[in-house]
Amino acid sequence: MAGKTYDVIVVGSGASGGWVAKELTEKGIEVLMLEAGPPRVPTRDFTEHIWPYQLKYRGFGNQKKLLSDQPVQRLCYACDDYSHQFFVNDSEHPYTFPAGKPFMWIRGRQVGGKTFCWARVSYRYSDFEFKGASHDGYGQDWPISYKDLEPYYDRVESYIGVSGSYEGLEQLPDSRFLPPMRLSCGELVAKEIVEKKFGWKLIVDRSANLTVPLNGRPACHYCDECQRGCFTASYFNSPSVTLPAAARTGRFHLVSDAVVSHLIMNSEGRADGVAYIDRTTRDTREARGKIVVLAASALESTRILLNSRSRNFPNGVGNAHGVLGHYLMDHTTLEDGGGTMPALQSSVREPVGRPCGYIIPKYVNTVGPHKNKNFLRGYYFAGDGRQELYGHAASTPGLGREWRDKVRSRIPYSFSVYAQGECLPRYDNYVTLDREKKDAWGIPALHIHASYGENELAMAKAMRDHLGEIMDALKLEDRTPPRDELNIFGKNIHECGTARMGNDPKTSVLNAYNQVHGVKNVFVTDGACFVTQGCWEPTLTIMAISVRAADYIADEYRKGNI
Amino acid sequence: MQTRRQWLMRVAGGAVLAGWSGVDLAAAEFPPGLYGPSRDHLGHALAGHPVEPGGETELVQVRAAAFQPAFFQPNEYRTLRQLTGIILGESADAAIVHEIDEWIDLTISEAASVRAAARALSPLHRTLAIHFYGAEQVRHLEEFDAQRVVREGLAWLDTEAHHAGGFTELDSEEQMALVHRISDAKSDNAGARLFTYLKERVVDGFYTSRAGLDELGYRGNAFYASPPGCEHLYG
Ligand SMILES: Cc1cc2nc3c(=O)[nH]c(=O)nc-3n(C[C@H](O)[C@H](O)[C@H](O)COP(=O)(O)OP(=O)(O)OC[C@H]3O[C@@H](n4cnc5c(N)ncnc54)[C@H](O)[C@@H]3O)c2cc1C
Ligand code: SF4
């Protein structure tokens, strides 16, 4: 590698980087991918068929280790006894926030990034997102529209596989679906009631799991433990889907354990490559490329740009107008609503293993009659209906055989429902480099400054009211009301923005093709480019945008324009 | 009682993978970290654990020597075994009681260091925990002293059974009567606190065991040919 200048350097091997590498290498372009984390080995690191009794801590986790090594990551539901290996060590990867503005930053550093442990929920955005400002006057439109992205959604979905049902909703465009999964008994009951009483749809979720075989990958066998890995590669992650496609071209070079610290800029204001640090030896190295694509996840890519300071770029690359780092978003959620459905209490166990739940797509401030003037934009509901496993055992009174028989034969049926809403992009939600704190490799840590605004709080009230109405309509018992407060900022792990796209270099960092304004050979393809986020999970859109940017890069590179 | 293999074969009845002959993309072609779908998935599943050493997953270790409790004194451990047996009932076999109690000993022996780790959280991490779990739960993690609850509870039992020379010396009817007095929050004393704590641990231990999962009839983490969903309500 030493001395070689690659066509393109891609930083990060997750959802975004994987697609960029696949598209570029398949178009004949030589790619060097630098990935900060180590490779994962299925036969060593995957645990989807491990049983709790095979684990030292029986699934409850080594709490001491979690508290000391992963005090932030452990708060993520997926960072547990089985899957903590897919999350970073927080003492090596610090960040800071003002005491009154907690931010939860969940990171996966490895070949594959967070695609190992993601929940696979996959939605297309619509022009309610891309053209949100034209719709209600707030903020900015994206410089692209649904029509621009539609062919790329098609391409991504046909390759990774997204299961779901065709619904024809304007606010949640259909994907090219594999067959949908099925609703559970409780969800079917709820569907009938919710659709009749409120006129909202209740559908099975859309998920990047294979319900039929696709491109050499076998169908899912419904063990429902995807965040622990998947030997059969039946859900989308980059190490088994996009990266192998890149590797098959013979033009893909992967260096793992390479922590990129900054871009190397030349006197003409172009990037010559990047500087990185060997994760294990801590040696500093450089890699040369004609084009650099940052796909290190939203906040990490922005951190690299901010840390690329030089005489020509005193505030970092892409920061001529002080926009870099701003307009951070993550979804809000109001969680923990639910209860039991007494009519479905049973003594017979149902098969379980569907790796998704149900959703009630956004119905407010979109098509249809339901408008709420107290806030802009909207939210959707999600959850699942299923039998309790043994959650009822400790509170079932009694002892011995008789008690165990009760636990076995009176299986409560739980139904959960929570809301996820849009967070408006605001200048005041931002990241900067921390003045003092550095990570284990000496790279300045991020200081994250984010809180919810009036719109989010007003929306939370509507969410809460309607969650209550749903729970009433379903006549749930043993209820847990939704929480009083919105979740901590960042908890949804859908952090986006901070290097947004736009046509005006004064108010945005990237152009419509993810190219840094004024720096032709640097691109950012991950969620940092988002202008708005809707209430929908971002990753499918991140992937479609990555493919579109890669198409553009390949074309322009061929034409000699970059 | 079926073996794990029989069980897996049964749930694999749909033969999702049996007939599958996919392109097994030899890992050797790829840089480390990339992989293709495994052809031998059932083999991995039956092996039930990562085959290669060096991973971060902490598995139950096969012990060379006889089990020595790390927290419980020998007489306390005898009491624990009897209490676990009473909670699970007569039919509980000794191996299950042992499996659960070894894990309870591990949990309680590490409780003090877990509490210390909770108290050692940095201010920012503690702030996050409070916003995440709520202040009460964070305080519980920092203050709840499982070792004390257990030790005081066991001592309480022995005091109540003083006339016989301790809990383990009572005959089984007397033991049952005493346990009934402290079960299901009928009273608030050291014995009742022990019972509440222990019942939760036994629940966690038993229903994560093979026997416990089989007893529940758990039908997950399996091999299905089509997505599980409602079978009967609406068809
Ligand atoms: C538990 C969980 C559940 C989720 N559920 C969903 C869901 O249901 N739907 C959805 O849409 N999204 C979900 N997400 C979010 C989803 O995982 C991310 O949106 C997606 O992975 C982003 O892709 P990315 O390529 O931008 O980043 P990542 O997948 O995080 O990949 C970035 C890569 O860059 C590497 N990197 C970082 N910094 C550097 C550096 N300095 N030098 C070199 N390499 C670097 C990282 O190590 C990482 O491998 C979930 C996430 C988690 C953790
Ligand atoms: S549920 Fe399906 S996709 Fe998920 S780990 Fe199991 S087999 Fe793989």
Side-chain angles (χ1 to χ4, degrees):
Chain A
M1 195 180 89
K4 176 162 177 169
T5 301
Y6 290 87
D7 295 333
V8 178
I9 296 175
V10 177
V11 179
S13 64
S16 175
W19 270 103
V20 173
K22 172 182 176 320
E23 292 298 302
L24 291 178
T25 53
E26 287 179 347
K27 292 199 157 86
I29 291 172
E30 186 110 356
V31 167
L32 170 70
M33 177 174 277
L34 298 174
E35 163 53 54
R40 296 292 172 207
V41 182
T43 47
R44 184 192 68 193
D45 298 320
F46 289 7
T47 55
E48 81 264 31
H49 286 294
I50 298 243
W51 292 94
Y53 51 85
Q54 295 176 301
L55 293 170
K56 183 176 175 189
Y57 294 95
R58 296 185 90 83
F60 300 100
N62 183 341
Q63 288 305 324
K64 177 170 173 243
K65 198 150 176 284
L66 284 165
L67 279 159
S68 3
D69 296 349
Q70 298 184 302
V72 180
Q73 309 303 309
R74 80 189 166 107
L75 302 176
C76 172
Y77 70 94
C79 180
D80 64 3
D81 215 3
Y82 300 86
S83 318
H84 60 95
Q85 63 274 23
F86 298 130
F87 295 85
V88 298
N89 175 312
D90 289 309
S91 33
E92 291 180 341
H93 301 87
Y95 66 95
T96 62
F97 50 82
K101 297 189 192 311
F103 185 89
M104 193 171 141
W105 193 12
I106 301 303
R107 283 180 279 178
R109 274 199 171 186
Q110 54 232 326
V111 176
K114 293 193 291 284
T115 65
F116 269 115
C117 40
W118 75 313
R120 308 159 310 283
V121 171
S122 298
Y123 305 126
R124 290 187 178 197
Y125 284 16
S126 73
D127 280 333
F128 284 105
E129 282 75 46
F130 298 119
K131 301 296 165 201
S134 301
H135 214 79
D136 58 28
Y138 181 86
Q140 288 200 356
D141 284 339
W142 292 55
I144 56 174
S145 66
Y146 181 67
K147 276 277 158 272
D148 294 316
L149 214 51
E150 193 176 15
Y152 297 97
Y153 278 128
D154 287 350
R155 247 156 89 182
V156 169
E157 290 153 0
S158 335
Y159 197 71
I160 69 169
V162 174
S163 80
S165 54
Y166 289 94
E167 301 290 343
L169 299 171
E170 208 180 309
Q171 72 274 34
L172 181 60
D174 290 327
S175 289
R176 297 210 160 182
F177 290 126
L178 305 179
M181 292 188 247
R182 296 191 298 151
L183 293 174
S184 66
C185 303
E187 293 160 359
L188 278 172
V189 171
K191 179 182 175 70
E192 197 165 292
I193 295 170
V194 166
E195 295 191 346
K196 198 180 286 165
K197 175 151 182 156
F198 303 105
W200 310 330
K201 286 222 162 190
L202 189 154
I203 60 176
V204 73
D205 212 346
R206 303 175 169 184
S207 178
N209 290 75
L210 302 184
T211 46
V212 289
L214 185 71
N215 298 328
R217 294 157 57 213
C220 176
H221 54 262
Y222 309 100
C223 66
D224 190 19
E225 303 297 357
C226 311
Q227 71 281 1
R228 302 176 185 175
C230 179
F231 277 104
T232 55
S234 303
Y235 72 88
F236 168 79
N237 65 22
S238 56
S240 69
V241 183
T242 42
L243 296 176
R248 265 181 245 123
T249 65
R251 285 180 285 274
F252 176 65
H253 310 270
L254 172 65
V255 178
S256 48
D257 298 305
V259 187
V260 172
S261 59
H262 60 276
L263 298 163
I264 302 170
M265 303 302 290
N266 64 26
S267 53
E268 288 143 42
R270 291 168 56 91
D272 280 340
V274 300
Y276 68 94
I277 300 156
D278 186 301
R279 187 179 69 91
T280 49
T281 65
R282 316 266 148 128
D283 292 339
T284 54
R285 305 233 161 89
E286 289 184 357
R288 304 267 149 186
K290 293 175 200 152
I291 296 168
V292 177
V293 177
L294 298 180
S297 79
L299 302 188
E300 292 286 19
S301 290
T302 294
R303 181 171 165 218
I304 294 170
L305 290 173
L306 285 167
N307 197 38
S308 301
R309 288 168 295 189
S310 59
R311 196 138 51 86
N312 289 337
F313 299 94
N315 301 315
V317 169
N319 203 12
H321 299 282
V323 182
L324 182 66
H326 293 268
Y327 304 104
L328 167 64
M329 298 165 279
D330 188 11
H331 293 130
T332 62
T333 45
L334 207 55
E335 294 174 320
D336 289 349
T340 59
M341 295 177 136
L344 292 180
Q345 179 177 311
S346 167
S347 60
V348 182
R349 278 277 160 197
E350 307 289 335
V352 285
R354 182 196 60 187
C356 75
Y358 74 85
I359 62 168
I360 299 173
K362 177 170 113 174
Y363 53 81
V364 61
N365 296 341
T366 177
V367 281
H370 195 112
K371 306 279 184 251
N372 190 325
K373 294 238 158 1
N374 296 333
F375 56 88
L376 300 171
R377 318 280 164 99
Y379 52 85
Y380 79 95
F381 295 121
D384 70 351
R386 63 186 164 78
Q387 289 184 319
E388 202 58 64
L389 183 56
Y390 67 86
H392 56 300
S395 58
T396 301
L399 287 170
R401 188 74 255 174
E402 209 182 311
W403 164 70
R404 271 160 63 190
D405 283 344
K406 259 189 254 163
V407 172
R408 181 181 52 73
S409 63
R410 292 188 202 162
I411 310 166
Y413 199 96
S414 318
F415 189 88
S416 70
V417 54
Y418 68 91
Q420 175 169 307
E422 175 160 358
C423 170
L424 290 180
R426 286 189 293 124
Y427 183 81
D428 197 37
N429 285 340
Y430 63 88
V431 301
T432 56
L433 295 179
D434 193 274
R435 284 210 187 118
E436 283 145 33
K437 197 80 145 192
K438 294 192 163 54
D439 70 12
W441 300 272
I443 304 169
L446 276 189
H447 180 71
I448 305 174
H449 182 280
S451 59
Y452 298 129
E454 279 170 26
N455 200 65
E456 286 80 53
L457 300 177
M459 197 190 296
K461 191 180 170 309
M463 290 169 166
R464 165 173 279 284
D465 291 347
H466 280 184
L467 281 169
E469 287 181 30
I470 292 173
M471 289 164 59
D472 285 345
L474 299 182
K475 301 196 171 64
L476 298 184
E477 291 188 359
D478 312 309
R479 286 192 193 185
T480 52
R483 286 201 175 197
D484 292 333
E485 285 175 25
L486 290 170
N487 63 296
I488 308 183
F489 213 112
K491 185 189 170 190
N492 278 327
I493 329 178
H494 304 148
E495 67 278 9
C496 281
T498 66
R500 69 178 181 182
M501 290 173 146
N503 292 323
D504 181 358
K506 290 205 180 68
T507 58
S508 59
V509 176
L510 309 171
N511 70 15
Y513 292 98
N514 299 69
Q515 192 171 26
V516 174
H517 288 303
V519 186
K520 276 192 143 179
N521 72 338
V522 176
F523 291 77
V524 181
T525 53
D526 55 40
C529 76
F530 278 39
V531 180
T532 57
Q533 206 185 18
C535 56
W536 313 111
E537 272 70 355
T539 310
L540 186 65
T541 301
I542 292 176
M543 295 196 265
I545 286 178
S546 300
V547 177
R548 184 170 177 273
D551 257 13
Y552 176 80
I553 292 169
D555 274 359
E556 293 291 292
Y557 184 62
R558 280 282 138 66
K559 290 186 202 144
N561 290 344
I562 319 180
Chain B
M1 174 100 187
Q2 59 195 337
T3 66
R4 181 180 148 65
R5 176 173 287 269
Q6 286 163 340
W7 182 81
L8 262 175
M9 288 320 226
R10 179 170 62 79
V11 296
V16 184
L17 293 152
W20 180 70
S21 58
V23 271
D24 200 10
L25 306 157
E29 289 171 28
F30 294 142
L34 278 51
Y35 69 102
S38 158
R39 225 187 233 152
D40 183 28
H41 180 55
L42 202 56
H44 290 303
L46 287 167
H49 58 83
V51 270
E52 282 164 33
E56 292 171 45
T57 311
E58 294 184 77
L59 298 164
V60 173
Q61 297 299 325
V62 183
R63 230 189 1 264
F67 173 69
Q68 291 293 335
F71 170 75
F72 290 97
Q73 301 296 327
N75 66 319
E76 291 176 327
Y77 195 66
R78 272 195 298 279
T79 308
L80 173 70
R81 295 202 57 172
Q82 289 180 339
L83 290 171
T84 305
I86 289 171
I87 293 173
L88 289 179
E90 286 150 34
S91 58
D93 68 41
I96 273 292
V97 171
H98 202 74
E99 180 183 322
I100 298 169
D101 286 347
E102 278 191 29
W103 170 75
I104 291 179
D105 177 63
L106 172 73
T107 305
I108 299 176
S109 71
E110 294 190 354
S113 56
V114 171
R115 198 149 40 97
R119 287 179 172 180
L121 281 183
S122 75
L124 283 189
H125 293 156
R126 188 167 187 276
T127 303
L128 274 186
I130 288 174
H131 282 268
F132 190 90
Y133 293 114
E136 203 179 313
Q137 250 180 292
V138 171
R139 223 173 299 120
H140 181 80
L141 197 62
E142 292 169 342
E143 287 169 13
F144 180 74
D145 188 345
Q147 298 185 339
R148 192 161 145 195
V149 167
V150 169
R151 203 132 266 160
E152 288 181 355
L154 292 171
W156 184 92
L157 284 175
D158 278 340
T159 310
E160 292 297 303
H162 182 66
H163 59 280
F167 182 80
T168 54
E169 303 305 315
L170 297 177
D171 66 33
S172 56
E173 263 167 45
E174 290 172 312
Q175 286 188 336
M176 277 304 285
L178 186 47
V179 171
H180 267 294
R181 269 172 56 203
I182 56 173
S183 67
D184 300 318
K186 283 184 210 120
S187 47
D188 181 26
N189 54 39
R193 283 191 290 276
L194 167 73
F195 182 87
T196 305
Y197 177 78
L198 209 58
K199 185 169 174 185
E200 286 170 7
R201 296 293 79 69
V202 172
V203 159
D204 286 343
F206 179 61
Y207 290 116
T208 51
S209 72
R210 183 75 262 156
L213 288 164
D214 284 345
E215 179 164 305
L216 293 170
Y218 179 55
R219 297 174 68 191
N221 202 349
F223 292 75
Y224 289 111
S226 65
C230 181
E231 308 278 334
H232 38 20
L233 252 189
Y234 298 81

